[in-house]
Amino acid sequence: MKNSFKTPQLLLRLALGIGFLSTVSDRLGLLGPLGGNIEWGNWHNFINYTGTLMPFLDRPAVEVMGTIATIAEAVIGILLIIGFKTRQAAIASCLLTLIFALAMTAFLGIKAPLNFAVFSTCSGSLLLLTIPFYNWSLDHLFTKDAA
């Protein structure tokens, strides 16, 4: 089977992966202080925002959930960029962003997930899942039957 997805799958993997790592960098304060194009600028602001998406949890539980989400996003971002376990990373990305989309819509309204492009990320992850081969990836190097 001819793989006509070589470049699109690479660009989609990079876009999704960089998007996750950019978000993680923002909440860790690596991109600078809050303002301009910086959404949170530090962990405290991110946890406050996370609390608005989980008003039913107390602060320590929000901290745990924020930490889990951050670790998941960092791991997913790295896996997508290097193309390792790409299908599993795409599934995790789709599920994680679907949860974000539902929480944001429920507690902040439909505009919030649109502003953060959560639906696009979720859909892009689902699309990546359907691509048969991931050229220019570690998956491709480790798979003998890749085309």
Side-chain angles (χ1 to χ4, degrees), residues 128-143:
L128 185 62
L129 180 63
T130 68
I131 295 175
F133 307 112
Y134 304 109
N135 289 80
W136 302 305
S137 70
L138 290 179
D139 289 337
H140 183 73
L141 285 176
F142 298 142
T143 305

Side-chain angles (χ1 to χ4, degrees), residues 33-57:
L34 174 66
N37 290 325
I38 306 301
E39 190 65 34
W40 301 290
N42 61 51
W43 185 255
H44 179 76
N45 291 341
F46 168 68
I47 292 301
N48 286 341
Y49 176 78
T50 303
T52 65
L53 300 180
M54 301 178 182
F56 47 87
L57 296 178

Side-chain angles (χ1 to χ4, degrees), residues 54-63:
M54 301 178 182
F56 47 87
L57 296 178
D58 60 2
R59 182 72 178 204
V62 170
E63 290 262 358

Side-chain angles (χ1 to χ4, degrees), residues 59-140:
R59 182 72 178 204
V62 170
E63 290 262 358
V64 169
M65 297 305 288
T67 301
I68 290 170
T70 300
I71 292 169
E73 288 179 80
V75 169
I76 291 167
I78 292 166
L79 290 176
L80 290 173
I81 289 170
I82 66 174
F84 184 66
K85 301 289 184 182
T86 306
R87 274 197 174 68
Q88 292 86 342
I91 291 168
S93 172
C94 182
L95 293 174
L96 185 63
T97 54
L98 179 61
I99 292 167
F100 290 164
L102 294 173
M104 293 168 105
T105 301
F107 296 107
L108 300 174
I110 191 67
K111 187 81 168 93
L114 292 173
N115 286 349
F116 281 95
V118 180
F119 296 118
S120 301
T121 302
C122 185
S123 299
S125 300
L126 194 57
L127 180 62
L128 185 62
L129 180 63
T130 68
I131 295 175
F133 307 112
Y134 304 109
N135 289 80
W136 302 305
S137 70
L138 290 179
D139 289 337
H140 183 73

